[in-house]
Amino acid sequence: MLSIGALRAHLLAARIAGPVATSREESLRSYRLFAARDPRVLIGIDPELPWEQRDLIELMARRCGVSADPRHTSGHDVIDPELTVAALDAFAERIGAAARCGTPVLFGTGHPHRLLGFYAALADALSAAGCDVLTPAQGRRVDITTRFGLRTHNLDYVRGVALVREAAGERPGGEPGAHTHSPLPVRTVLAAAAEAGGPLPGLVIGDHGWVCGAGQLGFEAMGLADTDDPAPFVGEAEGRVSVVVPLDDGVRSAYYRPLTRYVLNRACLSQ
């Protein structure tokens, strides 16, 4: 089993935690837009509290380890690896509970280029443990506003993980899919599951709009988030997201494999 010390060393070496590629400028911009209730940064969360930028800096300092000093306005953000490990432990505990209970699970990612392998390995393990890994709304159309305007995407699944593809672009069944933070895909998937009479997920695992959109609708949700994505952490603080793991979500996909092994070992699901 990967020890906590070895995991911590890997997080720092791969820059998944410690000084990360996400800049302080990017994070502060996101906090400012979230405080202004910009839907591009809310990604499905409807905050109950009046979160101002200073509140968000304090929250992200507690949950991620970024600087709590609002006068710190440049340079690289920092994620405390101890907070990442603690969140991975909570994440693994919930994965293990889902496996023991046979909970239906939905996986989805807006970062398929980097995070698909992490989620797919968890989906494989939970399926082998007897959980239904749900795949509703295969091929369903979703219109998402991007910086290039409104673009039509289609829902697809790769190894049990939902993602979207540009309708005019990629071949279904191929990889990697499109990058999006939108909550529209998970809303479409959950609506399709309900229309079909179920089953509905007892747990949604993913990132960005998949976690926030599901949590806002009352589904238990958990996942991964970077320092410039305050919405999942606000969702966690307000009780609509159960676990958020702070990490850099843009490193090479292979660098997440030790995290996968750690989570599966902690969840007693190693294959």
Side-chain angles (χ1 to χ4, degrees):
M1 177 176 175
L2 187 68
S3 70
I4 291 177
L7 174 63
R8 187 186 302 110
H10 172 73
L11 292 172
L12 294 170
R15 296 191 66 184
I16 295 172
V20 294
T22 308
S23 72
R24 180 69 166 181
E25 293 92 334
E26 289 176 275
S27 294
L28 291 176
R29 178 179 180 273
S30 291
Y31 307 162
R32 185 167 59 252
L33 291 174
F34 190 98
R37 299 298 191 264
D38 189 315
R40 295 171 298 175
V41 183
L42 295 177
I43 57 176
I45 285 292
D46 183 11
E48 295 177 354
L49 300 176
W51 294 89
E52 301 298 337
Q53 187 181 48
R54 180 179 289 273
D55 302 321
L56 293 164
I57 292 172
E58 292 175 355
L59 173 70
M60 299 301 282
R62 293 195 304 271
R63 300 296 173 102
C64 297
V66 304
S67 173
D69 185 354
R71 296 169 297 180
H72 178 202
T73 59
S74 64
H76 291 286
D77 256 336
V78 175
I79 296 175
D80 184 344
E82 302 298 336
L83 294 175
T84 303
V85 172
L88 283 170
D89 287 344
F91 188 94
E93 182 178 351
R94 185 63 191 92
I95 291 279
R100 291 190 296 273
C101 297
T103 302
V105 183
L106 173 68
F107 288 88
T109 182
H111 273 245
H113 298 72
R114 305 299 185 190
L115 299 176
L116 178 60
F118 175 81
Y119 299 123
L122 301 181
D124 289 344
L126 284 173
S127 179
C131 296
D132 286 337
V133 176
L134 306 180
T135 57
Q138 171 82 41
R140 187 74 61 90
R141 168 177 165 162
V142 185
D143 292 326
I144 300 174
T145 300
T146 72
R147 66 180 182 274
F148 306 111
L150 194 66
R151 293 288 187 269
T152 296
H153 295 73
N154 294 324
L155 279 158
D156 196 14
Y157 289 85
V158 176
R159 291 178 59 195
V161 182
L163 47 82
V164 295
R165 305 181 184 282
E166 290 199 34
E170 300 172 51
R171 172 178 58 85
E175 295 183 20
H179 172 220
T180 180
H181 290 187
S182 173
L184 294 177
V186 75
R187 292 173 184 166
T188 301
V189 165
L190 294 172
E195 289 165 6
L200 295 173
L203 180 63
V204 178
I205 300 172
D207 48 67
H208 299 97
W210 289 92
V211 171
C212 293
Q216 184 64 38
L217 291 173
F219 292 85
E220 184 179 0
M222 66 178 191
L224 316 178
D226 208 333
T227 60
D228 62 346
D229 292 317
F233 296 98
V234 169
E236 185 182 33
E238 293 190 344
R240 273 161 290 169
V241 175
S242 59
V243 180
V244 185
V245 180
L247 48 68
D248 188 318
D249 59 14
V251 304
R252 294 181 183 179
S253 57
Y255 292 170
Y256 299 104
R257 290 175 189 160
L259 281 66
T260 305
R261 293 197 299 271
Y262 181 82
V263 167
L264 292 178
N265 279 324
R266 296 282 294 186
C268 300
L269 290 173
S270 297
Q271 298 175 336

